[in-house]
Amino acid sequence: MSSFSDIDGLIAPRSVAIIGASDDVTRIGGRPIAAMLRAGYKGRILPVNPKRDRVQGLPCYASVQDLPEVPDAALIAVPAKLVPETIEALGRMGCRAATLFSAGFAEVGAEGLAAQHALEELAKQHGMRLLGPNTLGVYNVDIGYYGTFSSSLDTGFPKSGNVGIASQSGAFGAHLGALARDRGIGCSVLITTGNESDITVADAIGWMAQSDTVDVICTYMEAVNDAPALLAALDAARAAGKPVVVSMGDYAASGGYWISSEADWIVAQPSTLTGSIGVFGGKFVLADALGRFGVDMRGLSVGGDYASAFSPSEPFTPAQRTAFAAQIDRTYDEFITRVATGRKLSPDRVRQIARGRVWTGAQAQGLGLVDQLGGLTEAVAKARELAKIPAGDSVRFKRYPTPQSPFEALSDAFGVSSEAARVLVGIGGVMNDPQAEALVRRVQADRARASGATVLADQPY
């Protein structure tokens, strides 16, 4: 992707229609209007509600067809069942950008996911870009545009400045914006992408990379839904000299689902985060960091161009990055095949569900990714049934790997007996002597060297 400017109308519109506009400033269809009126939005606000003639002092229109002009953007705050006809009406009128506050799509399971895909196709027919659904929206402080229903605005507006926030999570993005405001940091643009039916966090980063008002980009991501677009956006930010700070969500469910996808039966709690089908890879380049401690990471490479690809002393070359990306793609294809085989779904269906999305257990069951909701008791009962174990027979639980005591863990680390580790800890605790701690580190390093390892430097403390 070479240009991200096709979402200008979404982030810096000259006019905006609010479908489902409300006179109640606490409702989803009322908050954006109230915020823009307070902030002095420089564009035109066009409320749409068939039950009202005026909304918050502004003329209100009965339908999209009754609007006096084609809006640059639309905010959609109507029930999910009314969204398709709203998109259709806006598209026929010529509107090319819409923010979908409405929920009830991919986040609720298989039926919602199908409805979301239908929206995507409908929007594409009209050349319309969609943000959301299930998004908190956008704000652009410099023009007073608040296409969001965030309650964080109740305690004050963000400060104008050179920081932009791109977040998949509306709650996290709005919270970050409020923290920036409260600490006197200027944050002019917030884009929250919700379900990412069309516009992704990559589009948001790319737009900020090309923006004249954003110099620093803060990003919160829970999953990578379009890796090539994200790489293109990061490249654009790098070329523009704009640093990108990324915070990842505090869960990643792909590894566990890779293991379990071919099981005979999968049980998950309703709120368990599971069923994520995605692959992510890379490497850490440590040369500069370790160089600060006097460690020289330079080395010799024997073999082809890819032989040193995972060296921690230098970044991927373009050829290595291409080869690594192909390897990741092959792993992703294998993941798709595993799930399709294990869950008895077509590969095309799995690809629709996949893209690194994270589902709750309840959502995953609706998508066919898990078989049953429950916990250990239900899993054991099903295991009994599958193994044809009589209900009256007892079963025993065996945990893998076997839990270790702290002293057993120390024993493994130092290569000594558990009793020796216990004594060592006791001595260190009683003496509280830095020399004793240094001796322990020296023993560990000497044992590593004796086993053939290369110890580059003592660990600083």
Side-chain angles (χ1 to χ4, degrees):
M1 184 179 296
S2 60
S3 174
F4 299 89
S5 59
D6 60 348
I7 60 173
D8 279 346
L10 188 88
I11 303 164
R14 295 163 298 180
S15 59
V16 57
I18 298 86
I19 320 301
S22 175
D23 223 19
D24 186 342
V25 298
T26 66
R27 296 180 67 86
I28 290 177
R31 282 184 179 276
I33 299 173
M36 286 188 278
L37 289 175
R38 295 201 318 272
Y41 170 54
K42 297 178 175 61
R44 295 173 296 284
I45 304 172
L46 307 169
V48 176
N49 187 325
K51 298 179 181 179
R52 293 186 175 276
D53 295 326
R54 301 187 70 80
V55 166
Q56 298 187 41
L58 299 171
C60 183
Y61 305 93
S63 68
V64 170
Q65 292 86 343
D66 293 324
L67 289 171
E69 62 182 275
V70 178
D72 281 353
L75 305 179
I76 300 177
V78 299
K81 64 182 180 180
L82 299 180
V83 171
E85 64 186 66
T86 303
I87 295 291
E88 176 68 26
L90 288 165
R92 286 182 178 277
M93 190 180 194
C95 179
R96 294 295 176 258
T99 296
L100 276 64
F101 296 152
S102 310
F105 292 93
E107 78 279 3
V108 301
E111 186 175 345
L113 179 62
Q116 182 170 303
H117 285 318
L119 282 185
E120 294 175 41
E121 293 304 315
L122 182 59
K124 285 179 182 177
Q125 292 173 17
H126 294 288
M128 181 185 295
R129 300 303 306 270
L130 296 181
L131 181 68
N134 193 33
T135 176
L136 196 66
V138 173
Y139 64 61
N140 186 339
V141 175
D142 292 339
I143 62 171
Y145 177 62
Y146 288 90
T148 174
F149 60 95
S150 173
S151 60
S152 67
L153 303 179
D154 294 347
T155 54
F157 287 115
K159 297 180 181 297
S160 180
N162 63 348
V163 177
I165 300 173
S167 176
Q168 290 177 328
S169 165
F172 189 93
H175 178 65
L176 186 58
L179 285 178
R181 175 200 65 200
D182 295 344
R183 296 180 183 182
I185 299 172
C187 176
S188 289
V189 179
L190 168 69
I191 305 172
T192 66
T193 56
N195 289 5
E196 297 195 345
S197 65
D198 173 22
I199 295 171
T200 68
V201 73
D203 293 297
I205 293 171
W207 186 90
M208 292 178 190
Q210 297 179 348
S211 169
D212 293 332
T213 61
V214 175
D215 295 324
V216 179
I217 304 168
C218 296
T219 302
Y220 176 79
M221 296 193 309
E222 296 168 343
V224 178
N225 291 332
D226 189 340
L230 180 60
L231 290 175
L234 294 175
D235 285 343
R238 188 180 300 110
K242 300 182 180 184
V244 180
V245 180
V246 178
S247 174
M248 296 297 292
D250 56 359
Y251 52 78
S254 292
Y257 197 69
W258 172 283
I259 298 298
S260 61
S261 60
E262 292 190 281
D264 293 318
W265 195 264
I266 301 176
V267 180
Q269 296 281 6
S271 58
T272 296
L273 297 176
T274 188
S276 176
I277 305 166
V279 180
F280 183 78
K283 70 171 182 176
F284 291 103
V285 178
L286 304 174
D288 289 345
L290 292 178
R292 297 173 183 269
F293 297 98
V295 180
D296 190 337
M297 293 287 291
R298 288 176 296 178
L300 296 175
S301 174
V302 178
D305 292 339
Y306 202 63
S308 60
F310 291 96
S311 166
S313 62
E314 56 188 18
F316 287 126
T317 66
Q320 289 171 346
R321 184 179 294 278
T322 299
F324 180 69
Q327 178 183 335
I328 290 292
D329 288 342
R330 288 193 296 271
T331 304
Y332 182 68
D333 289 341
E334 182 182 349
F335 202 164
I336 294 292
T337 301
R338 286 176 63 95
V339 175
T341 301
R343 308 314 302 158
K344 297 179 176 58
L345 298 170
S346 70
D348 287 343
R349 175 59 177 153
V350 175
R351 289 183 185 280
Q352 287 181 338
I353 299 170
R355 297 195 300 171
R357 293 188 181 97
V358 178
W359 308 100
T360 65
Q363 293 168 340
Q365 185 188 34
L367 294 168
L369 299 177
V370 305
D371 299 292
Q372 180 182 354
L373 300 181
L376 182 61
T377 300
E378 289 77 13
V380 170
K382 188 63 183 181
R384 279 180 177 275
E385 177 187 332
L386 293 173
K388 297 181 172 58
I389 298 174
D393 289 3
S394 63
V395 295
R396 63 188 179 93
F397 296 95
K398 190 162 182 65
R399 183 172 172 182
Y400 294 96
T402 303
Q404 289 183 317
S405 71
F407 299 109
E408 289 170 330
L410 282 171
S411 172
D412 286 347
F414 286 100
V416 298
S417 69
S418 179
E419 285 302 316
R422 188 187 300 270
V423 171
L424 193 60
V425 171
I427 292 174
V430 172
M431 295 177 63
N432 194 25
D433 186 352
Q435 291 183 347
E437 297 175 8
L439 179 60
V440 170
R441 286 195 296 274
R442 181 175 176 181
V443 169
Q444 188 177 19
D446 287 345
R447 289 187 180 277
R449 289 189 179 99
S451 66
T454 298
V455 180
L456 299 176
D458 290 337
Q459 183 180 355
Y461 69 98

